[in-house]
Structures are given as structure tokens and as C-alpha cells.
Amino acid sequence: MRTRLSLGLLVVAAVALTACSTPDATPGASSGGGGGGGTIVVALASDPGTIDPTLADTFDARVVFTSFCEKLYDANSQLQPVPQLASGLPTTSSDGLTVTIPLRTGIKFNDGTPFNADAVKTTLDRDMTMSGSARAREIAAIKTVSVLNPTTVRIKLKYPFSPLVAQLADRAGLIMSPTALTKLGAKFGDAPVCVGPFKYAGRVEGTSLSFVKAPDYYNASKVKAAGVTYKIITDPTTRADNLQSGDVQAAEQLDATDIPQLQSDNSLKIESISAISYEGISINISNAHGVSAPSGPVNTPLAKSPQLRQAFEMALDRNAMNKAVYNGAESVDCLPLPIQSPFRPANPDCTPYNPTVAKQMVAASGVKVPVPVSLMIPANSGVDRLAAVIQSMEAKAGFAVTIKSVEFTSALAAARAGNFDTFLIGWSGRLDPDGDLSDLVTTGGSNNFSGLNDQQLDSLVTQSAASSDPQVRKASYAKTLQRVQQLRPNIYLYHDRWYLGLSAKLTGVGYNTDGIPRFTTASLQS
């Protein structure tokens, strides 16, 4: 398992135009069904943390949300946005500043509260204004949200923002019950209520989350399972063992080295995807006081020297790393945009692997050799072998890498506070390229662990998101990515191949390249 920060890909001009689509409650659902009504037990790769949609910031929270909290839009099997609680794609004014969203009718939240435009406005206003909101920056382009009528929401933007639909197909589009929000306020995550096939039933902190079939769900006839329980099992081999023993019926993010044995077991099915996620190394360049504070000097060799950061990257043999750690299963890359993205440059100018030149650059830097580098990794995340390979490769160029294993949520807190040198961390990817860049490399981004503050890059990211023309955006992203490569706040290593293990008795599970298993139409045979 590679622990992820909380979907990156295709949202083309069509989403900015007048459009309509048949709602798809379970995008990408696998074929198969049946009448099995048991409770499905799913092994999660990490603790999802809070399941308050406004505050959540982990990939596994997004996995859990699919069972109880639906969005205005979702992603289909081609990673295109499709209506979920919305009744169609939005219409956008000619100046790109007014977006109108039609909503479905006859829907109730899992507490019986009617779903309507007021509920959407309440949720979006909360996401924009709540202290500590992880959504505020994602939808910072929104100026106001207004209710035209019970089935229509109008959004006024501060500036044209093509990725809006992609954001509303992610956690910013998760709509919460206004009744529950009034009752629980900041404690909404303790007993969350949304529209969904299952409703929240309880949690054992650090161990499991339980959901039962929701009687008020608008597509309740399609829901076969009595419930879904997510068990937190951080070790990938333990997840595989639990799957083989039958203690769980689904297990996400299985390790590539365990797959041959699992595939030989006739009681199991293994699905794999070339995911839109990536693994990379974040380098603390100027995060001296925390991501929300102004940048400042960081007294480490890598922070002070772009040349040392270049040498650090040149010492990494991505292909050898992939073969040694993942049996060659990953897609080696030097960019954050997924391999499938139409916005990628055709021939990216990657920093070449050249340990000889890297060693010469280290020697020429004037820094005493070996150059000390602390590499923080999430504990029990399955990246230990990868970290060890990085350590070995860097030693040949004159870097002395010390591996520091930290519990995942504590590691995130340390990264946001700036208490790290380098951080080996995954990003789960987004539907639009803006989601793979903006919050991670622009000034003040909540996931800009490097503390990068570069006005040229900020401007390029903003320009890339402003146009609705795919070709204009592609050209703009090429310049943006060149600037990222020059600054090297992150060293991108590869895009993942993810494996989902399923019991042969479990059918109807959806699994797209966003890496999120969906259990709305799943059926478990006895």
C-alpha cells in the first residue's frame, strides 16, 4: 500500500458548455449482480480520518464517502463527469462567470430531509467559509451561491474557472443534510448524514466504520447489500491474508508482490487499474512556518540549492526502482499529470538518470559530503522498500539519506507544519489537471508542503485553469510543468498500478481508474 493524500484527468470543454446526461448512480460498475444481502467487509489501506466532507483530506475518506455521501457529479469509467445529485451538466455563461446547475427531484437525505437547492447552497457556503475547510481553496473561484428555485442553483465566479465541475465531482460536491448540520455543527463528522445507498451506523476509532442500507435512498432497489463495513488494515500483506481467509470480501491497494499468490486462489478475483495517482518526494524549500503562513528560509542543503535538488533527482533510477520494488508494474514518469491525461506534453523533458553527473554536482556544491537528507515516510504504508532503494541510490551520488517513519496523520501534520526535509508521499489524482497542481505547488496551497512561493508559477496555474479550450489549456500546462521542473518542489517517480482483491462471491463492484471501489450495486452471495 502507498498511503495517499486525497481522484487527475479529463475535463474538457464540454463540461463548460450546455449539456445534459442521464444520471448514473454507479459509474463504472462491474457487470454482475444477484440477490446477496449480507454485509460487505472491506479492508481499507489507511485510516480515513475525519469523514466530514468539508474537512476530509485523505484518499480513504473518499473511498468511504461513496457508500454514504453522494456528490453533485461523479466520474464514469472514462473519468468523465456525470450527474449524480445534479440532473445534468451545468450551463455556463459566455463570459465564463455564471454557472447554473440543475438538480434532481424526489430525493431525500438519509435522515429524511428533502434534498434541494437550499441544501446545496448550505453545503457550498460551509465549504467556503468554515474554519479549517479543506475545500475552500478548491472552490476559491466561487464568489456567491444562490437559489433560483428548489431545483436550480446558480454560482457566480470571481474569474473563469474551467475545473469547477471536476471539483464538484470530488469532495466539494458532497452535499450534507442541512438538518444534521444545524444539529451537529462542527461535529458533523461524528454522525454524518448525506444522500447515499448506505447510512452511517458507527465507528470504532482506528479500527472500523460501519454503514447500513439506507431506506430513504432514491435508488434503494439497486442496493443489494445489507451494509458495508470498512476495516482499517494498514499492512498490505495482512490485507491479502484477510482476503484469503474470508474475513474481508474486498481489499484495496494490494501489494504487487502478493498478486501472483492471490491470482492462484480460485475463491478470489483480482482487478487492476493504471491509476491516475502518483508517488513522489516533496522537498521542503521554504515551508518554514507552515503551509498557511508566509514562506521563509529553510536551513537544509536541498532547500538552499536548486542544483542539489537536481542532483538528488538525477541519482534516482526510476526504472530500476520500479523493477526492484514493484515488479515493473508502475508507470514511470516525471510529471504529476496522469499518463491518460490529454493535457500532458507529448514528450516530457524529464531529468535524466545520471549518477555520475549527480555526484559531480554534489562535489561542486561546496556542501560537505555526504550531504545529509532526512526522508519522512508514512509508517506501515508499504513504502519501506522504496525508501530503502532511494537511500541506496542517493548514497552513490553523495547523499546520506536517513529514513524517518512517522504515523500517517502525524506525518501529514508535520508536512503541513514544515517539520520535515523530504517526504515520500502519494497523491491520489484528480479529474482535472488543476487538481494535480494548484493546491500542491501554488502559494498558500494546503498541500504545498514544499512551501513553494513563485509568482510566475502561480500565474501559469491560474491561466491554465481559466480557458475552456482544451488546446489552449494543453499549451498552458506545458509551460506550467516546465516551471515546476525548474523549481523541483516535488520529484515525481511513477503512476501506480493498483490492485483490488474481491471474493468470488462478491459481484457488482465498480472500480475505475480513480482507484475508488464502489459498492452501491454490489451483491454478496452466501
Side-chain angles (χ1 to χ4, degrees), residues 10 24-25 82 158 237 257 290 319 394 406 495:
L10 172 64
D24 182 355
V82 292
K158 302 170 188 174
T237 299
T257 57
N319 289 308
E394 294 295 350
V406 181
H495 299 283

Side-chain angles (χ1 to χ4, degrees), residues 42-49 60 64 203-209 229-235 238-239:
V42 183
L44 280 185
S46 64
D47 191 319
D60 277 309
V64 171
R203 180 173 192 166
V204 179
E205 199 64 40
T207 301
S208 64
L209 300 91
T229 295
Y230 294 94
K231 292 179 65 175
I232 301 162
I233 305 175
T234 59
D235 181 72
T238 304
R239 288 198 299 279

Side-chain angles (χ1 to χ4, degrees), residues 227-424:
V228 178
T229 295
Y230 294 94
K231 292 179 65 175
I232 301 162
I233 305 175
T234 59
D235 181 72
T237 299
T238 304
R239 288 198 299 279
D241 290 343
N242 275 253
L243 182 64
Q244 285 198 288
S245 69
D247 289 339
V248 305
Q249 290 80 50
E252 63 155 356
Q253 296 188 48
L254 295 169
D255 197 292
T257 57
D258 291 323
I259 296 305
Q261 179 183 347
L262 296 174
Q263 287 177 327
S264 68
D265 189 335
N266 292 332
S267 69
L268 304 177
K269 301 176 293 184
I270 304 298
E271 296 191 18
S272 69
I273 56 168
S274 178
I276 61 177
S277 58
Y278 70 73
E279 190 78 28
I281 302 172
S282 289
I283 301 173
N284 189 350
I285 297 174
S286 53
N287 182 3
H289 311 291
V291 294
S292 61
S295 60
V298 173
N299 190 30
T300 63
L302 290 182
K304 293 188 290 185
S305 173
Q307 291 74 29
L308 280 180
R309 295 199 294 274
Q310 181 180 1
F312 193 83
E313 181 172 6
M314 293 182 79
L316 296 174
D317 185 342
R318 291 175 172 87
N319 289 308
M321 186 185 303
N322 184 22
K323 184 176 180 180
V325 182
Y326 302 117
N327 294 333
E330 315 298 65
S331 297
V332 168
D333 195 22
C334 67
L335 300 180
L337 303 194
I339 300 298
Q340 305 96 320
S341 174
F343 297 104
R344 284 176 59 94
N347 299 295
D349 185 19
C350 296
T351 299
Y353 166 61
N354 195 326
T356 301
V357 173
K359 188 173 182 178
Q360 293 169 351
M361 293 176 70
V362 170
S365 70
V367 178
K368 184 179 178 180
V369 178
V371 178
V373 176
S374 174
L375 178 63
M376 182 170 66
I377 68 171
N380 302 313
S381 65
V383 297
D384 306 69
R385 287 177 296 151
L386 177 60
V389 171
I390 291 171
Q391 182 183 54
S392 176
M393 289 179 175
E394 294 295 350
K396 297 174 183 178
F399 293 98
V401 175
T402 301
I403 299 170
K404 183 179 180 181
S405 183
V406 181
E407 185 273 328
F408 179 49
T409 54
S410 297
L412 289 182
R416 292 199 169 99
N419 297 328
F420 77 105
D421 184 1
T422 65
F423 185 20
L424 182 59

